Amino acid sequence: MDPPKILWLKENLYDACYARAAHFFSLPDYLVWRCTGKNVRSMCCLACKWLYKYDESEKRWDESFWRSIGLADLVDNEFGKIGGMRVENPFKNVNELTISSEASEELGLCGSDLRVGVAMIDAHACSIGALAVAKKYASSLKLSEILVIVSGTSACLMASSTRPTFIDGIWGPYYEAMLPGLWLNEAGQSACGQLIQHIVTTHPAYSTLADYDKQRMFDKLHIHLNEMAEKQNLTDISLLTRHVHIYPDFHGNRSPLSDPNMRGAVCGLSLDSSLDDLCVKYLACLQAIAYQTKQIVEKMQEKGIGIKLITLVGGLATNPLYAQLIADITRLPILVSRAKSDSIGLLGASILGASNSADLNGESIDGLFDLFAESFMDTNDLKLIEAARSAELERFHARKYEIYLKMLDDQRSYDKIMNN
């Protein structure tokens, strides 16, 4: 993610920026440097975003890669501008990472003896919080059996495993980029909350909802969907989309196709511009996102990642219909926190920072999870959402998923015709 940005600066802003820069950082590593004055880079940032090579047997920059893309000058001085040789794993105890007196004063903190943890990318830190809560809730599960979905504007799906697993269209595997001793695979959905908002706000009937705040607007849509299903004597509101199908890649596909040229599609359009039609398209959009989640989960399971629980966090975790659809369509239980959407991320960041404290030096990841998750769960409700026990609904989603995959294939066939 970051090497092409640096290359762009070299090719477009050489004198104004590139030649004058002393360091290039990802934001998490910049914050550690800004707080401590120490240039200690995180394995999480460098492995996931900078193509730093790391596994059980090696830990190094790939000199040939930087030379091949036109950034040979960054190889000089032992890669000093992009982090040099001081690369540490998250949860590593690094004694010299203490807050500087300047940063302490600017942040209004109490002294300069405070420790700062090795950095982590925001979605990964959020996943740490989610895993801590899930492990406390379901202690019998292994961390490698829990999939975290950080779902907001877009979505990240974070899976851990005990061995390196290569999966087409899914990033990784990255060794110890998130959890000690485990490999990380990271899938993504380019548009989730952004797509839902687009479908709702561009519909002619949106004007009837424009005066509602976001929460009340979605409550209104859910109430109306239930009323529609009741009028039609349907056993589940999902059945309302029998004749409307959406393919969700309006903003390209991150996983599992890795194809930025994919586009969205809607099948079943009519001249209806009522609130009923808006509700059906909103529901079909949620289902489409969930079918793509199922597609990603299947790709992971095919490669031996044994997912038994999904922990859903982020802004969309507050949408009960979205969470239920993920459960119904993947046939996996979903653990959702009713806390504010940012609190899981703060929990993960707290655990990460505490891992470098003098008092907790050497504490295991399980021990840190226990310490922090217990107090978090005392003040925040968790809800386990199971897949609906309905053979009719299961068959319905199986057919809809078949259509989802066919719409994917159809789009590629159209592209082939046009490219010929």
Side-chain angles (χ1 to χ4, degrees):
M1 183 175 180
D2 286 319
K5 294 180 180 180
I6 298 173
L7 183 60
W8 188 93
L9 291 173
K10 182 177 182 179
E11 294 176 343
N12 294 276
L13 295 172
Y14 185 85
D15 292 328
C17 177
Y18 183 83
R20 299 171 60 199
H23 303 284
F24 295 102
F25 290 101
S26 292
L27 177 60
D29 282 337
Y30 168 78
L31 291 173
V32 169
W33 175 77
R34 185 72 177 80
C35 285
T36 67
K38 301 292 194 300
N39 191 1
V40 176
R41 304 294 179 115
S42 166
M43 182 63 63
C44 177
C45 298
L46 297 191
C48 297
K49 307 298 184 187
W50 296 68
L51 292 181
Y52 188 83
K53 296 177 72 68
Y54 178 58
D55 56 30
E56 296 107 326
S57 61
E58 66 175 343
K59 180 178 178 179
R60 65 179 176 85
W61 288 101
D62 187 343
E63 182 177 325
S64 64
F65 164 72
W66 293 92
R67 293 189 184 282
S68 71
I69 66 170
L71 289 172
D73 51 306
L74 294 183
V75 175
D76 299 337
N77 192 28
E78 294 187 316
F79 297 90
K81 283 193 174 184
I82 56 175
M85 311 307 290
R86 188 62 194 274
V87 182
E88 300 291 355
N89 294 17
F91 302 104
K92 172 74 177 294
N93 195 264
V94 183
N95 292 329
E96 65 265 37
L97 284 184
T98 56
I99 198 160
S100 67
S101 57
E102 179 188 13
S104 181
E105 183 178 349
E106 289 184 23
L107 293 171
L109 300 175
C110 51
S112 58
D113 59 341
L114 300 175
R115 296 286 192 90
V116 177
V118 177
M120 190 175 275
I121 298 164
D122 52 0
H124 300 60
C126 195
S127 296
I128 291 298
L131 287 167
V133 170
K135 196 71 172 67
K136 191 73 175 178
Y137 187 89
S139 58
S140 62
L141 291 181
K142 300 175 183 176
L143 291 172
S144 58
E145 296 172 330
I146 304 169
L147 173 70
V148 177
I149 302 181
V150 185
S151 190
T153 303
S154 59
C156 294
L157 294 84
M158 318 288 275
S160 300
S161 57
T162 55
R163 58 182 180 82
T165 305
F166 291 85
I167 311 170
D168 288 344
I170 293 174
W171 300 340
Y174 306 119
Y175 186 56
E176 295 191 326
M178 191 168 77
L179 290 168
L182 295 178
W183 296 82
L184 170 68
N185 285 95
E186 179 183 351
Q189 292 173 277
S190 301
C192 288
Q194 181 187 23
L195 176 58
I196 295 165
Q197 183 175 348
H198 175 77
I199 292 293
V200 172
T201 58
T202 59
H203 194 280
Y206 174 65
S207 59
T208 65
L209 303 171
D211 292 335
Y212 290 88
D213 61 37
K214 184 176 289 187
Q215 185 59 56
R216 288 175 59 231
M217 180 182 74
F218 286 114
D219 288 344
K220 170 68 174 174
L221 292 174
H222 298 163
I223 290 169
H224 197 78
L225 281 166
N226 280 305
E227 291 172 349
M228 290 174 64
E230 189 175 338
K231 287 178 182 177
Q232 297 179 37
N233 294 318
L234 299 177
T235 56
D236 192 280
I237 62 172
S238 277
L239 305 179
L240 288 166
T241 63
R242 180 182 181 86
H243 300 297
V244 177
H245 314 286
I246 291 181
Y247 184 77
D249 286 336
F250 285 49
H251 196 55
N253 183 283
R254 195 183 304 173
S255 299
L257 307 178
S258 262
D259 186 348
N261 297 314
M262 291 297 292
R263 290 295 178 262
V266 182
C267 179
L269 294 172
S270 72
L271 294 176
D272 189 354
S273 60
S274 68
L275 182 59
D276 283 7
D277 187 70
L278 168 55
C279 285
V280 169
K281 288 193 174 65
Y282 162 70
L283 175 58
C285 177
L286 290 179
Q287 290 172 340
I289 295 169
Y291 296 135
Q292 189 167 79
T293 302
K294 175 182 173 67
Q295 185 185 20
I296 292 168
V297 168
E298 285 184 344
K299 295 290 184 183
M300 291 178 171
Q301 290 172 330
E302 287 169 4
K303 292 292 185 175
I305 297 178
I307 300 165
K308 294 183 179 179
L309 174 72
I310 294 175
T311 303
L312 180 63
V313 296
L316 275 178
T318 61
N319 186 320
L321 179 54
Y322 171 74
Q324 186 63 59
L325 285 168
I326 297 288
D328 290 344
I329 289 167
T330 64
R331 310 305 297 172
L332 288 168
I334 312 295
L335 184 64
V336 178
S337 168
R338 294 177 178 176
K340 289 183 178 179
S341 60
D342 60 356
S343 62
I344 290 282
L346 294 174
L347 173 64
S350 300
I351 295 170
L352 191 64
S355 69
N356 198 33
S357 72
D359 291 341
L360 296 174
N361 186 6
E363 183 67 68
S364 69
I365 190 71
D366 287 332
L368 289 167
F369 282 1
D370 284 342
L371 283 169
F372 279 80
E374 185 170 355
S375 59
F376 178 88
M377 291 168 68
D378 285 343
T379 56
N380 296 281
D381 291 334
L382 298 175
K383 183 178 181 181
L384 187 69
I385 300 173
E386 301 274 6
R389 296 179 180 178
S390 166
E392 178 191 20
L393 187 62
E394 192 170 350
R395 287 194 299 270
F396 175 82
H397 283 308
R399 292 194 294 269
K400 290 274 291 186
Y401 183 56
E402 184 180 352
I403 293 169
Y404 162 87
L405 294 174
K406 193 171 190 310
M407 291 176 79
L408 187 166
D409 290 339
D410 286 346
Q411 181 175 162
R412 287 185 156 176
S413 68
Y414 303 155
D415 287 342
K416 186 175 181 180
I417 291 169
M418 296 307 297
N419 289 335
N420 284 341

